[in-house]
Amino acid sequence: MKQPSRCIAAIAPVIFVSILLNGCANHSATPDPQPKAFGAGVISVSGEKQTGGVGSPLDQPLVVQVNDAQGAAVAGALVRFTAARGVIFRPDRGLTGSDGQLTTLVTLGGISGHYQITASTLTAAGKAAVIQVDEIALGYQEMLGAKINEMHCVRCHDPESTPERVSNHDNLEPAPHAFTEGAILNAMTDANLLAMISHGGAALNKSPAMPPYGNTLTKAEVDALAAYIRAVADPPYRKQGVLYAGN
Ligand code: HEC
């Protein structure tokens, strides 16, 4: 007689967990929390323009803040996060805290590229105020390029110094560019980009302070760096020789 009840005791938590998971996966079925206040606009506080692996959580959470018309933080305002292509937010909606902010953890989708995320809040007039932020998902080759960049390039190309790594950037003339500077990097052809990395600045009549990496790195590593540079470009890089509708 004891057998069945032991069985139920063992199964019950499993059912409970699966109900929880199903409930979480289907957010649209959950009603929005009732806003306690309304703002005039929403701003991004931190966590935008990050790069992360495809299908992986970003290192930093995305934090947005709802403000009133005077720019003061509004607590208890409703914020919703939306994006295309399989992006997951934890949570995807909620009320701002006493600091007027809402924090979400972002997991990017399974395709590499730029992801635009929209955070929206409801204003007192019943309209949506929105802000859009960009995040970038890197594929395998681009992730490899990101690692090599950390090892070899950031000490000159990243204008920002950190306590662990003092950047040489400000001592260089002409100064190298951050690889996110699409306005500069997108103008380089693939051939020039690869030549710059492999043969150094001097080979292209540029500064010899840009070292040649053709003997230090493999061809695959140089290709990975170029793929990384193309992936993080802001504005986004578009392959030469391809025409896009609407441009
Ligand atoms: C010792 C400092 C230094 C390191 C390390 C370095 N670079 Fe540079 N790089 C430069 C300088 C200086 C320039 C600017 C050359 C010019 O405009 O005359 C430059 C220019 C470039 C450019 C042309 C676009 C621009 O920023 O002006 C590319 C692309 C580039 N580097 C890629 C790389 C890659 C990839 C690595 C790592 C494998 C790397 N660099 C490491 C100093 C460096």
Side-chain angles (χ1 to χ4, degrees):
M1 280 306 280
K2 284 207 169 147
Q3 202 59 26
S5 64
R6 260 214 307 271
C7 188
I8 288 166
I11 284 175
V14 176
I15 294 170
F16 183 54
V17 166
S18 80
I19 289 170
L20 265 185
L21 288 177
N22 287 337
C24 289
N26 189 4
H27 277 296
S28 53
T30 325
D32 283 343
Q34 201 59 38
K36 298 187 176 75
F38 298 91
V42 55
I43 59 167
S44 157
V45 176
S46 64
E48 64 180 308
K49 299 211 162 150
Q50 294 183 70
T51 51
V54 288
S56 306
L58 292 173
D59 287 346
Q60 307 297 320
L62 176 61
V63 184
V64 299
Q65 179 174 324
V66 174
N67 289 337
D68 64 18
Q70 283 71 45
V74 176
L78 175 65
V79 173
R80 281 198 205 99
F81 297 102
T82 49
R85 293 195 290 172
V87 178
I88 298 168
F89 300 100
R90 291 194 185 84
D92 70 347
R93 70 191 74 184
L95 299 184
T96 54
S98 55
D99 53 1
Q101 298 182 357
L102 186 69
T103 298
T104 188
L105 297 172
V106 184
T107 299
L108 296 176
I111 303 169
S112 63
H114 287 244
Y115 284 78
Q116 197 169 63
I117 290 170
T118 303
S120 65
T121 190
L122 215 55
T123 67
K127 297 212 170 99
V130 303
I131 187 175
Q132 272 160 348
V133 302
D134 245 30
E135 311 287 7
I136 300 172
L138 302 180
Y140 179 80
Q141 187 193 30
E142 297 152 357
M143 282 297 274
L144 178 64
K147 292 204 186 86
I148 302 165
N149 173 43
E150 278 297 320
M151 269 188 288
H152 293 286
C153 320
V154 284
R155 69 188 169 91
C156 291
H157 277 268
D158 188 345
E160 312 246 319
S161 289
T162 63
E164 300 81 42
R165 172 182 53 75
V166 177
S167 177
N168 204 17
H169 180 268
D170 293 347
N171 302 325
L172 294 166
E173 179 58 43
H177 298 90
F179 295 142
T180 46
E181 279 189 51
I184 303 292
L185 275 299
N186 292 350
M188 291 182 80
T189 61
D190 287 346
N192 276 348
L193 187 57
L194 295 172
M196 186 68 144
I197 303 171
S198 300
H199 308 306
L204 291 178
N205 284 327
K206 296 278 191 171
S207 166
M210 167 61 206
Y213 286 90
N215 294 325
T216 321
L217 301 175
T218 64
K219 170 85 171 58
E221 288 171 329
V222 172
D223 286 347
L225 276 167
Y228 168 75
I229 290 170
R230 293 313 196 196
V232 298
D234 179 21
Y237 174 71
R238 296 183 162 185
K239 273 200 169 59
Q240 285 127 15
V242 181
L243 291 177
Y244 287 83
N247 271 333

